[in-house]
Amino acid sequence: MTTATATRGLARTPAVPPAAHRPGLAETLRSEFIKMRSVRSTYWTLLALVVASIAWAATDCAGIVSHWPQDMGFNPARASLTGQVGLGELIIVTLGALVITSEYSTGMIRTSLTVMPRRGVLYAAKAIVFAAVSLALSLVTSLAAFFTGQAILSGKHINTTLAQPYALRAVLLSAAVVTVFGLLAYGAGAIIRNTAGAITAILGVIFLVPLLAQALPSSWFQDLQRWLPGGSALDPISSGWAQSANHLFSAWGEFAVFCGYAAVLLAVGGWLFCRRDA
């Protein structure tokens, strides 16, 4: 009797204790942050973003000072931040694509999905960690580039300060635009699953589509330009100045349109990520 009871008790004892709780977003965020900072390419890409943006600001502003006077429409904030948007977006798309495509190329995605089988949580965690890191660094870089450029321009007394509303807006939007560019590449990477393909697709859409649209009749192009994902529609964002054309939205309006494209790519990428095999 006692032996039978003991045998039944042993049979009920599981070989492996059940997990205390299902892995959630907080644990996945920590995991993705550790994963991101442990990859050497992350540091090199972010370093390139900082160095290129500040170097461009110093070079551009030094050239302006050496060739002054300029026209009355000169924008000192734009002179400091052109490199942050112009070069920064080209650099950050590489990191944005690598965040997800590198796991497909190495097969690491299978391990990630084994640890975190909730695909939507994993996809969101990767995007959140990347956005937080890129936005924080882009904001610091924008401030550094701005102050570097203005220090050089002060030699001709043509500098500005963050007390000017357009200057502060330029700094904030420059950092935000670079981050959204990276998220575009992240969404494209989830769709294409190839680093080179994702980067090519994003740069093609952002730069080639606006150029092709210029072949349209002028009235059509002006109606369409405000809705394009890049090109001159981003000019008020990169400059933080007044609208460069009456047919464009305000700086924040153009930024909202740009975010809409990123939201669509992220949604499509997330949908495919949750439904396709690893």
Side-chain angles (χ1 to χ4, degrees):
M1 187 77 170
T2 304
T3 304
T5 304
T7 302
R8 286 195 297 269
L10 289 173
R12 296 192 194 102
T13 304
V16 179
H21 65 280
R22 296 178 66 190
L25 180 60
E27 293 87 349
T28 311
L29 286 172
R30 287 194 294 268
S31 174
E32 289 302 318
F33 180 71
I34 293 172
K35 190 186 302 180
M36 187 175 182
R37 74 182 185 184
S38 64
V39 179
R40 189 177 302 173
S41 61
T42 300
Y43 295 97
W44 284 112
T45 305
L46 295 178
L47 178 63
L49 171 64
V50 174
V51 173
S53 300
I54 297 176
W56 185 292
T59 303
D60 193 19
C61 291
I64 290 172
V65 168
S66 65
H67 294 92
W68 191 258
Q70 296 280 344
D71 61 271
M72 296 302 294
F74 170 68
N75 181 350
R78 181 179 183 180
S80 294
L81 297 170
T82 300
Q84 166 72 353
V85 175
L87 289 178
E89 64 194 25
L90 299 178
I91 296 171
I92 204 67
V93 294
T94 303
L95 182 59
L98 282 172
V99 166
I100 191 165
T101 57
S102 61
E103 294 206 28
Y104 282 104
S105 62
T106 61
M108 183 67 183
I109 190 65
R110 298 185 184 89
T111 304
S112 298
L113 290 173
T114 300
V115 176
M116 168 47 75
R118 300 163 65 187
R119 294 187 172 217
V121 174
L122 179 62
Y123 181 81
K126 286 180 177 292
I128 292 171
V129 169
F130 168 74
V133 171
S134 60
L135 180 59
L137 188 74
S138 296
L139 184 57
V140 171
T141 304
S142 291
L143 289 170
F146 177 82
F147 288 122
T148 298
Q150 299 314 304
I152 297 173
L153 294 175
S154 63
K156 289 288 186 178
H157 305 288
I158 53 176
N159 58 303
T160 187
T161 66
L162 289 178
Q164 299 294 330
Y166 77 88
L168 179 60
R169 183 179 66 181
V171 170
L172 296 177
L173 280 174
S174 295
V177 164
V178 170
T179 302
V180 175
F181 260 100
L183 289 173
L184 280 167
Y186 175 78
I191 296 171
I192 300 174
R193 295 183 172 187
N194 179 271
T195 304
I199 295 173
T200 302
I202 291 301
L203 296 183
V205 170
I206 296 299
F207 297 107
L208 183 59
V209 171
L211 290 176
L212 294 176
Q214 293 181 17
L216 297 172
S218 179
S219 59
W220 292 10
F221 176 68
Q222 290 187 1
D223 292 335
L224 180 64
Q225 188 180 17
R226 70 180 68 182
W227 301 105
L228 295 177
S232 58
L234 288 178
D235 183 68
I237 295 176
S238 62
S239 65
W241 195 251
Q243 285 178 252
S244 59
N246 292 330
H247 59 275
L248 297 178
F249 293 123
S250 65
W252 290 109
E254 291 293 345
F255 178 66
V257 171
F258 192 49
C259 288
Y261 283 97
V264 170
L265 273 186
L266 288 172
V268 174
W271 183 82
L272 291 175
F273 184 80
C274 292
R275 283 160 176 78
R276 293 190 299 194
D277 293 335

